[in-house]
């Protein structure tokens, strides 16, 4: 059993193993077992891909909303985790506060349970997304080592998991965020210790020659009250449009975890261009979760 709350816990070997499982024909090791999928926030891709990946491994996925279980309202995160562990072989959850996942995992380890906890997105990280991102980049370029990846926009959960996964895999990452929206000093230091990564505030500089141009929403779930302020801080400089894509490598691809806000962080022209791999990237969430689940339960 292994928890999957952040990408960095995988290490290089773990990441390779998960990517390998994601591309493999896996046996239905969870036949007759349950997988709990708990959501505190909405989802299109994560819910669908995790349900179908659980089915692919033979499991019965159970979708549970916070409206039903009331994390830390109806009962504590710890009690929810320990109860779910009585019915399920894995617990995957999408939460606002990353510490809820840590508390769930901590309580299960303390209780001697072998049921892993998997992060389906928290305020801090989105590790299952990053596995799908690497799969997509590898499918396009045939390798990950040395691929130049520019991430533009908010240094958020998606950016952190992408940067962790890509540096671990030997890619070269350049992150550009507006002043005040970059990673904190401690996070930069940790990422720099994992591989080749730079941080700046100039989107043009980050994109120049890049093979992957990646962006995400300027306003993540839970930050809705900041949306107007963020639009004026990020736009128009951080918008990925055709002029910006033209500065990237000739064979550059455009990536976005989705949902996209067309006309804000990305234009229709780029989303619908031949450089855009966003739907392949979304589809890869399924094999990625299959790989993660297999890795987590086979420990
Ligand atoms: N990319 C992603 O996690 O999408 P959902 O929020 O729709 O699951
Ligand atoms: N950064 C976004 C990603 C959504 C998949 C959010 O947290 O809302």
């Amino acid at each position: 059993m292994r928890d999957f709350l952040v990408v960095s816990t995988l290490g290089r070997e773990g990441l390779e193993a998960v990517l390998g499982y994601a591309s493999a024909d896996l046996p239905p090791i969870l036949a007759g077992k349950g997988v709990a999928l708990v959501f505190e926030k909405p989802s299109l891709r994560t819910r669908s891909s995790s349900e179908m990946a659980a089915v692919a491994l033979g499991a019965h996925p159970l979708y549970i909303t916070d409206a039903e279980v009331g994390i830390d309202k109806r009962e504590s995160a710890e009690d929810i985790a320990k109860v779910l562990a009585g019915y399920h072989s894995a617990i995957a959850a999408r939460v606002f506060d990353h510490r809820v996942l840590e508390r769930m995992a901590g309580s299960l380890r303390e209780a001697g349970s072998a049921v892993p906890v998997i992060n389906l997105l928290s305020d801090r990280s989105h590790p299952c997304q990053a596995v799908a991102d690497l799969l997509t980049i590898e499918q396009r370029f045939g390798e990950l080592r040395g691929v130049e990846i520019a991430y533009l926009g908010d240094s958020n959960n998606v950016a952190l998991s992408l940067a962790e996964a890509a540096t671990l895999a030997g890619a070269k990452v350049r992150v550009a965020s507006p002043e005040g929206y970059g990673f904190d000093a401690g996070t930069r230091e940790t990422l720099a210790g994992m591989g080749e990564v730079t941080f700046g505030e100039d989107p043009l500089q980050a994109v120049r020659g890049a093979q992957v141009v990646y962006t995400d929403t300027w306003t993540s779930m839970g930050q809705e009250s900041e949306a107007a302020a963020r639009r004026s801080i990020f736009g128009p400089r951080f918008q990925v449009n055709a002029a910006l894509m033209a500065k990237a490598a000739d064979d550059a691809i455009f990536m976005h975890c989705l949902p996209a806000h067309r006309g804000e962080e990305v234009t229709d022209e780029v989303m619908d261009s031949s450089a855009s791999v966003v739907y392949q990237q979304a589809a890869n969430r399924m094999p990625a979760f299959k790989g993660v689940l297999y890795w987590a339960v086979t420990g």
Side-chain angles (χ1 to χ4, degrees), residues 41 94 121 126 156-158 216-217 220-221 257-259:
K41 311 185 202 182
R94 166 168 286 196
L121 181 146
H126 197 2
N156 60 14
N157 44 9
V158 168
D216 183 18
T217 181
S220 286
M221 291 180 275
C257 62
L258 306 181

Side-chain angles (χ1 to χ4, degrees), residues 20-299:
Y21 294 146
S23 307
D25 203 6
L26 299 172
I29 53 162
L30 293 177
K33 310 280 190 192
V35 172
L37 305 168
V38 184
F39 284 80
E40 272 191 332
K41 311 185 202 182
S43 169
L44 173 61
R45 284 143 289 269
T46 306
R47 178 187 174 181
S48 285
S49 60
S50 56
E51 283 203 18
M52 297 318 294
V55 168
L57 290 182
H60 176 95
L62 190 70
Y63 172 67
I64 303 164
T65 66
D66 184 53
E68 190 178 7
V69 294
I71 300 172
D72 290 332
K73 296 184 285 283
R74 189 163 185 265
E75 53 196 313
S76 72
E78 287 85 351
D79 279 354
I80 291 173
K82 285 186 277 190
V83 169
L84 287 175
Y87 318 120
H88 298 280
S89 293
I91 299 171
R94 166 168 286 196
V95 299
F96 283 99
D97 185 346
H98 188 81
R99 288 169 300 187
V100 167
L101 295 170
E102 293 175 336
R103 285 171 46 214
M104 285 179 159
S107 70
L108 291 178
R109 301 301 78 80
E110 210 172 287
S113 169
V115 173
V117 176
I118 299 171
N119 181 357
L120 295 179
L121 181 146
S122 68
D123 56 341
R124 201 182 300 169
S125 67
H126 197 2
C128 296
Q129 177 69 53
V131 174
D133 297 343
L134 291 198
L135 268 184
T136 310
I137 295 169
E138 200 171 35
Q139 284 164 358
R140 180 55 68 110
F141 295 106
E143 60 181 346
L144 294 165
R145 184 157 295 282
V147 175
E148 295 190 27
I149 303 172
Y151 176 89
L152 308 184
D154 191 18
S155 288
N156 60 14
N157 44 9
V158 168
L160 179 61
S161 292
L162 173 71
E164 287 182 348
T167 49
L168 269 182
K172 297 176 182 174
V173 182
R174 302 195 284 268
V175 181
S177 300
E179 192 184 349
Y181 293 86
F183 293 121
D184 60 45
T187 305
R188 289 181 191 208
E189 202 178 317
T190 306
L191 286 171
M194 291 171 66
E196 234 180 288
V197 56
T198 64
F199 310 96
E201 292 168 7
D202 183 352
L204 271 176
Q205 201 180 326
V207 160
R208 200 161 288 133
Q211 293 162 281
V212 177
V213 178
Y214 197 124
T215 194
D216 183 18
T217 181
W218 294 334
T219 304
S220 286
M221 291 180 275
Q223 300 172 332
E224 288 77 7
S225 64
E226 300 171 27
R230 284 170 173 266
R231 264 196 295 274
S232 66
I233 290 164
F234 287 78
R237 226 157 58 88
F238 281 83
Q239 182 185 71
V240 180
N241 50 35
L244 197 66
M245 283 301 291
K247 307 284 181 204
D250 290 343
D251 62 346
I253 57 172
F254 170 72
M255 297 182 72
H256 191 312
C257 62
L258 306 181
H261 305 80
R262 290 165 174 260
E264 292 189 23
E265 75 272 9
V266 61
T267 58
D268 284 336
E269 201 181 2
V270 171
M271 273 287 283
D272 302 328
S273 68
S274 58
S276 172
V277 296
V278 298
Y279 305 113
Q280 178 188 345
Q281 184 185 356
N284 276 333
R285 293 293 306 278
M286 199 284 243
F289 191 77
K290 195 163 54 91
V292 166
L293 191 54
Y294 191 88
W295 175 86
V297 298
T298 55

